[in-house]
mmCIF file with all atom_site columns, all heavy atoms in Angstrom:
data_model
loop_
_atom_site.group_PDB
_atom_site.id
_atom_site.type_symbol
_atom_site.label_atom_id
_atom_site.label_alt_id
_atom_site.label_comp_id
_atom_site.label_asym_id
_atom_site.label_entity_id
_atom_site.label_seq_id
_atom_site.pdbx_PDB_ins_code
_atom_site.Cartn_x
_atom_site.Cartn_y
_atom_site.Cartn_z
_atom_site.occupancy
_atom_site.B_iso_or_equiv
_atom_site.pdbx_formal_charge
_atom_site.auth_seq_id
_atom_site.auth_comp_id
_atom_site.auth_asym_id
_atom_site.auth_atom_id
_atom_site.pdbx_PDB_model_num
ATOM 1   N N   . ALA A 1 87  ? 5.409  2.895   0.803  1.00 98.00 ? 1048 ALA A N   1
ATOM 2   C CA  . ALA A 1 87  ? 6.751  3.385   0.458  1.00 98.00 ? 1048 ALA A CA  1
ATOM 3   C C   . ALA A 1 87  ? 7.709  3.140   1.630  1.00 98.00 ? 1048 ALA A C   1
ATOM 4   O O   . ALA A 1 87  ? 8.880  2.793   1.427  1.00 98.00 ? 1048 ALA A O   1
ATOM 5   C CB  . ALA A 1 87  ? 6.688  4.865   0.112  1.00 98.00 ? 1048 ALA A CB  1
ATOM 6   N N   . SER A 1 88  ? 7.196  3.278   2.847  1.00 98.00 ? 1049 SER A N   1
ATOM 7   C CA  . SER A 1 88  ? 8.041  3.055   4.030  1.00 98.00 ? 1049 SER A CA  1
ATOM 8   C C   . SER A 1 88  ? 8.419  1.590   4.172  1.00 98.00 ? 1049 SER A C   1
ATOM 9   O O   . SER A 1 88  ? 9.551  1.260   4.544  1.00 98.00 ? 1049 SER A O   1
ATOM 10  C CB  . SER A 1 88  ? 7.306  3.510   5.293  1.00 98.00 ? 1049 SER A CB  1
ATOM 11  O OG  . SER A 1 88  ? 6.876  4.832   5.162  1.00 98.00 ? 1049 SER A OG  1
ATOM 12  N N   . LEU A 1 89  ? 7.465  0.708   3.871  1.00 98.00 ? 1050 LEU A N   1
ATOM 13  C CA  . LEU A 1 89  ? 7.790  -0.726  3.927  1.00 98.00 ? 1050 LEU A CA  1
ATOM 14  C C   . LEU A 1 89  ? 8.901  -1.053  2.939  1.00 98.00 ? 1050 LEU A C   1
ATOM 15  O O   . LEU A 1 89  ? 9.826  -1.812  3.244  1.00 98.00 ? 1050 LEU A O   1
ATOM 16  C CB  . LEU A 1 89  ? 6.557  -1.567  3.588  1.00 98.00 ? 1050 LEU A CB  1
ATOM 17  C CG  . LEU A 1 89  ? 5.482  -1.729  4.658  1.00 98.00 ? 1050 LEU A CG  1
ATOM 18  C CD1 . LEU A 1 89  ? 4.305  -2.512  4.091  1.00 98.00 ? 1050 LEU A CD1 1
ATOM 19  C CD2 . LEU A 1 89  ? 6.019  -2.437  5.892  1.00 98.00 ? 1050 LEU A CD2 1
ATOM 20  N N   . MET A 1 90  ? 8.806  -0.481  1.754  1.00 98.00 ? 1051 MET A N   1
ATOM 21  C CA  . MET A 1 90  ? 9.858  -0.732  0.752  1.00 98.00 ? 1051 MET A CA  1
ATOM 22  C C   . MET A 1 90  ? 11.200 -0.216  1.237  1.00 98.00 ? 1051 MET A C   1
ATOM 23  O O   . MET A 1 90  ? 12.224 -0.877  1.098  1.00 98.00 ? 1051 MET A O   1
ATOM 24  C CB  . MET A 1 90  ? 9.507  -0.032  -0.567 1.00 98.00 ? 1051 MET A CB  1
ATOM 25  C CG  . MET A 1 90  ? 8.406  -0.691  -1.351 1.00 98.00 ? 1051 MET A CG  1
ATOM 26  S SD  . MET A 1 90  ? 8.413  -0.017  -3.033 1.00 98.00 ? 1051 MET A SD  1
ATOM 27  C CE  . MET A 1 90  ? 6.682  -0.198  -3.431 1.00 98.00 ? 1051 MET A CE  1
ATOM 28  N N   . ARG A 1 91  ? 11.176 0.988   1.794  1.00 98.00 ? 1052 ARG A N   1
ATOM 29  C CA  . ARG A 1 91  ? 12.440 1.578   2.253  1.00 98.00 ? 1052 ARG A CA  1
ATOM 30  C C   . ARG A 1 91  ? 13.063 0.725   3.367  1.00 98.00 ? 1052 ARG A C   1
ATOM 31  O O   . ARG A 1 91  ? 14.264 0.507   3.392  1.00 98.00 ? 1052 ARG A O   1
ATOM 32  C CB  . ARG A 1 91  ? 12.194 3.018   2.737  1.00 98.00 ? 1052 ARG A CB  1
ATOM 33  C CG  . ARG A 1 91  ? 13.399 3.695   3.305  1.00 98.00 ? 1052 ARG A CG  1
ATOM 34  C CD  . ARG A 1 91  ? 14.533 3.847   2.287  1.00 98.00 ? 1052 ARG A CD  1
ATOM 35  N NE  . ARG A 1 91  ? 15.815 4.047   2.958  1.00 98.00 ? 1052 ARG A NE  1
ATOM 36  C CZ  . ARG A 1 91  ? 16.984 3.590   2.533  1.00 98.00 ? 1052 ARG A CZ  1
ATOM 37  N NH1 . ARG A 1 91  ? 17.079 2.889   1.414  1.00 98.00 ? 1052 ARG A NH1 1
ATOM 38  N NH2 . ARG A 1 91  ? 18.074 3.829   3.218  1.00 98.00 ? 1052 ARG A NH2 1
ATOM 39  N N   . ARG A 1 92  ? 12.219 0.237   4.269  1.00 98.00 ? 1053 ARG A N   1
ATOM 40  C CA  . ARG A 1 92  ? 12.719 -0.644  5.339  1.00 98.00 ? 1053 ARG A CA  1
ATOM 41  C C   . ARG A 1 92  ? 13.319 -1.909  4.728  1.00 98.00 ? 1053 ARG A C   1
ATOM 42  O O   . ARG A 1 92  ? 14.375 -2.378  5.149  1.00 98.00 ? 1053 ARG A O   1
ATOM 43  C CB  . ARG A 1 92  ? 11.569 -0.977  6.286  1.00 98.00 ? 1053 ARG A CB  1
ATOM 44  C CG  . ARG A 1 92  ? 11.846 -2.054  7.286  1.00 98.00 ? 1053 ARG A CG  1
ATOM 45  C CD  . ARG A 1 92  ? 12.650 -1.570  8.488  1.00 98.00 ? 1053 ARG A CD  1
ATOM 46  N NE  . ARG A 1 92  ? 13.005 -2.719  9.321  1.00 98.00 ? 1053 ARG A NE  1
ATOM 47  C CZ  . ARG A 1 92  ? 12.217 -3.236  10.256 1.00 98.00 ? 1053 ARG A CZ  1
ATOM 48  N NH1 . ARG A 1 92  ? 11.054 -2.677  10.510 1.00 98.00 ? 1053 ARG A NH1 1
ATOM 49  N NH2 . ARG A 1 92  ? 12.609 -4.288  10.954 1.00 98.00 ? 1053 ARG A NH2 1
ATOM 50  N N   . GLY A 1 93  ? 12.660 -2.447  3.696  1.00 98.00 ? 1054 GLY A N   1
ATOM 51  C CA  . GLY A 1 93  ? 13.178 -3.641  3.024  1.00 98.00 ? 1054 GLY A CA  1
ATOM 52  C C   . GLY A 1 93  ? 14.544 -3.380  2.413  1.00 98.00 ? 1054 GLY A C   1
ATOM 53  O O   . GLY A 1 93  ? 15.463 -4.205  2.514  1.00 98.00 ? 1054 GLY A O   1
ATOM 54  N N   . VAL A 1 94  ? 14.692 -2.211  1.773  1.00 98.00 ? 1055 VAL A N   1
ATOM 55  C CA  . VAL A 1 94  ? 15.985 -1.865  1.168  1.00 98.00 ? 1055 VAL A CA  1
ATOM 56  C C   . VAL A 1 94  ? 17.056 -1.733  2.250  1.00 98.00 ? 1055 VAL A C   1
ATOM 57  O O   . VAL A 1 94  ? 18.186 -2.203  2.095  1.00 98.00 ? 1055 VAL A O   1
ATOM 58  C CB  . VAL A 1 94  ? 15.872 -0.543  0.358  1.00 98.00 ? 1055 VAL A CB  1
ATOM 59  C CG1 . VAL A 1 94  ? 17.245 -0.031  -0.043 1.00 98.00 ? 1055 VAL A CG1 1
ATOM 60  C CG2 . VAL A 1 94  ? 15.006 -0.760  -0.873 1.00 98.00 ? 1055 VAL A CG2 1
ATOM 61  N N   . ALA A 1 95  ? 16.692 -1.095  3.366  1.00 97.00 ? 1056 ALA A N   1
ATOM 62  C CA  . ALA A 1 95  ? 17.664 -0.908  4.453  1.00 97.00 ? 1056 ALA A CA  1
ATOM 63  C C   . ALA A 1 95  ? 18.135 -2.260  4.993  1.00 97.00 ? 1056 ALA A C   1
ATOM 64  O O   . ALA A 1 95  ? 19.337 -2.496  5.177  1.00 97.00 ? 1056 ALA A O   1
ATOM 65  C CB  . ALA A 1 95  ? 17.037 -0.073  5.568  1.00 97.00 ? 1056 ALA A CB  1
ATOM 66  N N   . GLU A 1 96  ? 17.188 -3.174  5.219  1.00 97.00 ? 1057 GLU A N   1
ATOM 67  C CA  . GLU A 1 96  ? 17.549 -4.498  5.751  1.00 97.00 ? 1057 GLU A CA  1
ATOM 68  C C   . GLU A 1 96  ? 18.382 -5.269  4.724  1.00 97.00 ? 1057 GLU A C   1
ATOM 69  O O   . GLU A 1 96  ? 19.375 -5.920  5.070  1.00 97.00 ? 1057 GLU A O   1
ATOM 70  C CB  . GLU A 1 96  ? 16.281 -5.302  6.087  1.00 97.00 ? 1057 GLU A CB  1
ATOM 71  C CG  . GLU A 1 96  ? 15.390 -4.694  7.161  1.00 97.00 ? 1057 GLU A CG  1
ATOM 72  C CD  . GLU A 1 96  ? 15.984 -4.757  8.555  1.00 97.00 ? 1057 GLU A CD  1
ATOM 73  O OE1 . GLU A 1 96  ? 16.987 -5.463  8.758  1.00 97.00 ? 1057 GLU A OE1 1
ATOM 74  O OE2 . GLU A 1 96  ? 15.422 -4.081  9.447  1.00 97.00 ? 1057 GLU A OE2 1
ATOM 75  N N   . ALA A 1 97  ? 17.971 -5.201  3.459  1.00 98.00 ? 1058 ALA A N   1
ATOM 76  C CA  . ALA A 1 97  ? 18.648 -5.992  2.421  1.00 98.00 ? 1058 ALA A CA  1
ATOM 77  C C   . ALA A 1 97  ? 20.067 -5.487  2.173  1.00 98.00 ? 1058 ALA A C   1
ATOM 78  O O   . ALA A 1 97  ? 21.013 -6.276  2.076  1.00 98.00 ? 1058 ALA A O   1
ATOM 79  C CB  . ALA A 1 97  ? 17.825 -5.947  1.127  1.00 98.00 ? 1058 ALA A CB  1
ATOM 80  N N   . THR A 1 98  ? 20.227 -4.172  2.056  1.00 97.00 ? 1059 THR A N   1
ATOM 81  C CA  . THR A 1 98  ? 21.570 -3.647  1.765  1.00 97.00 ? 1059 THR A CA  1
ATOM 82  C C   . THR A 1 98  ? 22.506 -3.871  2.961  1.00 97.00 ? 1059 THR A C   1
ATOM 83  O O   . THR A 1 98  ? 23.686 -4.163  2.783  1.00 97.00 ? 1059 THR A O   1
ATOM 84  C CB  . THR A 1 98  ? 21.527 -2.140  1.407  1.00 97.00 ? 1059 THR A CB  1
ATOM 85  O OG1 . THR A 1 98  ? 20.783 -1.433  2.406  1.00 97.00 ? 1059 THR A OG1 1
ATOM 86  C CG2 . THR A 1 98  ? 20.896 -1.923  0.048  1.00 97.00 ? 1059 THR A CG2 1
ATOM 87  N N   . TRP A 1 99  ? 21.958 -3.758  4.157  1.00 96.00 ? 1060 TRP A N   1
ATOM 88  C CA  . TRP A 1 99  ? 22.788 -3.993  5.351  1.00 96.00 ? 1060 TRP A CA  1
ATOM 89  C C   . TRP A 1 99  ? 23.263 -5.444  5.385  1.00 96.00 ? 1060 TRP A C   1
ATOM 90  O O   . TRP A 1 99  ? 24.439 -5.734  5.583  1.00 96.00 ? 1060 TRP A O   1
ATOM 91  C CB  . TRP A 1 99  ? 21.993 -3.653  6.609  1.00 96.00 ? 1060 TRP A CB  1
ATOM 92  C CG  . TRP A 1 99  ? 22.741 -3.945  7.880  1.00 96.00 ? 1060 TRP A CG  1
ATOM 93  C CD1 . TRP A 1 99  ? 22.641 -5.054  8.654  1.00 96.00 ? 1060 TRP A CD1 1
ATOM 94  C CD2 . TRP A 1 99  ? 23.738 -3.117  8.487  1.00 96.00 ? 1060 TRP A CD2 1
ATOM 95  N NE1 . TRP A 1 99  ? 23.500 -4.977  9.713  1.00 96.00 ? 1060 TRP A NE1 1
ATOM 96  C CE2 . TRP A 1 99  ? 24.188 -3.800  9.640  1.00 96.00 ? 1060 TRP A CE2 1
ATOM 97  C CE3 . TRP A 1 99  ? 24.286 -1.881  8.178  1.00 96.00 ? 1060 TRP A CE3 1
ATOM 98  C CZ2 . TRP A 1 99  ? 25.171 -3.266  10.471 1.00 96.00 ? 1060 TRP A CZ2 1
ATOM 99  C CZ3 . TRP A 1 99  ? 25.253 -1.359  9.018  1.00 96.00 ? 1060 TRP A CZ3 1
ATOM 100 C CH2 . TRP A 1 99  ? 25.683 -2.047  10.141 1.00 96.00 ? 1060 TRP A CH2 1
ATOM 101 N N   . HIS A 1 100 ? 22.325 -6.375  5.180  1.00 97.00 ? 1061 HIS A N   1
ATOM 102 C CA  . HIS A 1 100 ? 22.686 -7.790  5.210  1.00 97.00 ? 1061 HIS A CA  1
ATOM 103 C C   . HIS A 1 100 ? 23.711 -8.101  4.120  1.00 97.00 ? 1061 HIS A C   1
ATOM 104 O O   . HIS A 1 100 ? 24.730 -8.766  4.376  1.00 97.00 ? 1061 HIS A O   1
ATOM 105 C CB  . HIS A 1 100 ? 21.438 -8.655  4.999  1.00 97.00 ? 1061 HIS A CB  1
ATOM 106 C CG  . HIS A 1 100 ? 21.711 -10.115 5.065  1.00 97.00 ? 1061 HIS A CG  1
ATOM 107 N ND1 . HIS A 1 100 ? 21.755 -10.825 6.256  1.00 97.00 ? 1061 HIS A ND1 1
ATOM 108 C CD2 . HIS A 1 100 ? 21.976 -11.019 4.089  1.00 97.00 ? 1061 HIS A CD2 1
ATOM 109 C CE1 . HIS A 1 100 ? 22.045 -12.084 6.015  1.00 97.00 ? 1061 HIS A CE1 1
ATOM 110 N NE2 . HIS A 1 100 ? 22.174 -12.237 4.701  1.00 97.00 ? 1061 HIS A NE2 1
ATOM 111 N N   . ALA A 1 101 ? 23.464 -7.595  2.922  1.00 97.00 ? 1062 ALA A N   1
ATOM 112 C CA  . ALA A 1 101 ? 24.351 -7.913  1.793  1.00 97.00 ? 1062 ALA A CA  1
ATOM 113 C C   . ALA A 1 101 ? 25.745 -7.326  1.977  1.00 97.00 ? 1062 ALA A C   1
ATOM 114 O O   . ALA A 1 101 ? 26.728 -7.837  1.442  1.00 97.00 ? 1062 ALA A O   1
ATOM 115 C CB  . ALA A 1 101 ? 23.728 -7.404  0.488  1.00 97.00 ? 1062 ALA A CB  1
ATOM 116 N N   . ALA A 1 102 ? 25.828 -6.245  2.739  1.00 96.00 ? 1063 ALA A N   1
ATOM 117 C CA  . ALA A 1 102 ? 27.140 -5.635  2.975  1.00 96.00 ? 1063 ALA A CA  1
ATOM 118 C C   . ALA A 1 102 ? 27.956 -6.420  4.000  1.00 96.00 ? 1063 ALA A C   1
ATOM 119 O O   . ALA A 1 102 ? 29.176 -6.246  4.097  1.00 96.00 ? 1063 ALA A O   1
ATOM 120 C CB  . ALA A 1 102 ? 26.962 -4.196  3.461  1.00 96.00 ? 1063 ALA A CB  1
ATOM 121 N N   . HIS A 1 103 ? 27.301 -7.299  4.769  1.00 95.00 ? 1064 HIS A N   1
ATOM 122 C CA  . HIS A 1 103 ? 27.997 -8.002  5.852  1.00 95.00 ? 1064 HIS A CA  1
ATOM 123 C C   . HIS A 1 103 ? 28.082 -9.502  5.676  1.00 95.00 ? 1064 HIS A C   1
ATOM 124 O O   . HIS A 1 103 ? 28.862 -10.163 6.351  1.00 95.00 ? 1064 HIS A O   1
ATOM 125 C CB  . HIS A 1 103 ? 27.326 -7.669  7.196  1.00 95.00 ? 1064 HIS A CB  1
ATOM 126 C CG  . HIS A 1 103 ? 27.497 -6.230  7.569  1.00 95.00 ? 1064 HIS A CG  1
ATOM 127 N ND1 . HIS A 1 103 ? 26.634 -5.254  7.141  1.00 95.00 ? 1064 HIS A ND1 1
ATOM 128 C CD2 . HIS A 1 103 ? 28.460 -5.599  8.281  1.00 95.00 ? 1064 HIS A CD2 1
ATOM 129 C CE1 . HIS A 1 103 ? 27.056 -4.080  7.596  1.00 95.00 ? 1064 HIS A CE1 1
ATOM 130 N NE2 . HIS A 1 103 ? 28.152 -4.263  8.285  1.00 95.00 ? 1064 HIS A NE2 1
ATOM 131 N N   . ARG A 1 104 ? 27.296 -10.058 4.793  1.00 95.00 ? 1065 ARG A N   1
ATOM 132 C CA  . ARG A 1 104 ? 27.296 -11.513 4.595  1.00 95.00 ? 1065 ARG A CA  1
ATOM 133 C C   . ARG A 1 104 ? 28.194 -11.857 3.403  1.00 95.00 ? 1065 ARG A C   1
ATOM 134 O O   . ARG A 1 104 ? 28.040 -11.290 2.320  1.00 95.00 ? 1065 ARG A O   1
ATOM 135 C CB  . ARG A 1 104 ? 25.860 -11.974 4.306  1.00 95.00 ? 1065 ARG A CB  1
ATOM 136 C CG  . ARG A 1 104 ? 25.740 -13.308 3.622  1.00 95.00 ? 1065 ARG A CG  1
ATOM 137 C CD  . ARG A 1 104 ? 25.760 -14.455 4.590  1.00 95.00 ? 1065 ARG A CD  1
ATOM 138 N NE  . ARG A 1 104 ? 25.316 -15.679 3.950  1.00 95.00 ? 1065 ARG A NE  1
ATOM 139 C CZ  . ARG A 1 104 ? 25.766 -16.886 4.288  1.00 95.00 ? 1065 ARG A CZ  1
ATOM 140 N NH1 . ARG A 1 104 ? 26.660 -17.026 5.252  1.00 95.00 ? 1065 ARG A NH1 1
ATOM 141 N NH2 . ARG A 1 104 ? 25.296 -17.951 3.679  1.00 95.00 ? 1065 ARG A NH2 1
ATOM 142 N N   . SER A 1 105 ? 29.147 -12.784 3.634  1.00 95.00 ? 1066 SER A N   1
ATOM 143 C CA  . SER A 1 105 ? 29.999 -13.253 2.535  1.00 95.00 ? 1066 SER A CA  1
ATOM 144 C C   . SER A 1 105 ? 29.538 -14.615 2.075  1.00 95.00 ? 1066 SER A C   1
ATOM 145 O O   . SER A 1 105 ? 29.204 -15.479 2.892  1.00 95.00 ? 1066 SER A O   1
ATOM 146 C CB  . SER A 1 105 ? 31.456 -13.357 2.998  1.00 95.00 ? 1066 SER A CB  1
ATOM 147 O OG  . SER A 1 105 ? 31.971 -12.078 3.220  1.00 95.00 ? 1066 SER A OG  1
ATOM 148 N N   . ALA A 1 106 ? 29.515 -14.820 0.778  1.00 92.00 ? 1067 ALA A N   1
ATOM 149 C CA  . ALA A 1 106 ? 29.209 -16.135 0.193  1.00 92.00 ? 1067 ALA A CA  1
ATOM 150 C C   . ALA A 1 106 ? 30.021 -16.269 -1.091 1.00 92.00 ? 1067 ALA A C   1
ATOM 151 O O   . ALA A 1 106 ? 30.148 -15.306 -1.851 1.00 92.00 ? 1067 ALA A O   1
ATOM 152 C CB  . ALA A 1 106 ? 27.717 -16.251 -0.111 1.00 92.00 ? 1067 ALA A CB  1
ATOM 153 N N   . PHE A 1 107 ? 30.616 -17.431 -1.275 1.00 92.00 ? 1068 PHE A N   1
ATOM 154 C CA  . PHE A 1 107 ? 31.448 -17.687 -2.464 1.00 92.00 ? 1068 PHE A CA  1
ATOM 155 C C   . PHE A 1 107 ? 32.558 -16.639 -2.611 1.00 92.00 ? 1068 PHE A C   1
ATOM 156 O O   . PHE A 1 107 ? 32.817 -16.122 -3.688 1.00 92.00 ? 1068 PHE A O   1
ATOM 157 C CB  . PHE A 1 107 ? 30.590 -17.763 -3.729 1.00 92.00 ? 1068 PHE A CB  1
ATOM 158 C CG  . PHE A 1 107 ? 29.580 -18.880 -3.673 1.00 92.00 ? 1068 PHE A CG  1
ATOM 159 C CD1 . PHE A 1 107 ? 28.282 -18.632 -3.258 1.00 92.00 ? 1068 PHE A CD1 1
ATOM 160 C CD2 . PHE A 1 107 ? 29.958 -20.187 -4.008 1.00 92.00 ? 1068 PHE A CD2 1
ATOM 161 C CE1 . PHE A 1 107 ? 27.364 -19.660 -3.175 1.00 92.00 ? 1068 PHE A CE1 1
ATOM 162 C CE2 . PHE A 1 107 ? 29.032 -21.223 -3.928 1.00 92.00 ? 1068 PHE A CE2 1
ATOM 163 C CZ  . PHE A 1 107 ? 27.734 -20.958 -3.511 1.00 92.00 ? 1068 PHE A CZ  1
#
Side-chain angles (χ1 to χ4, degrees):
S1049 306
L1050 283 176
M1051 286 195 209
R1052 177 62 201 145
R1053 169 80 187 275
V1055 169
E1057 298 289 348
T1059 50
W1060 177 263
H1061 182 84
H1064 293 87
R1065 160 85 166 148
S1066 291
F1068 299 95

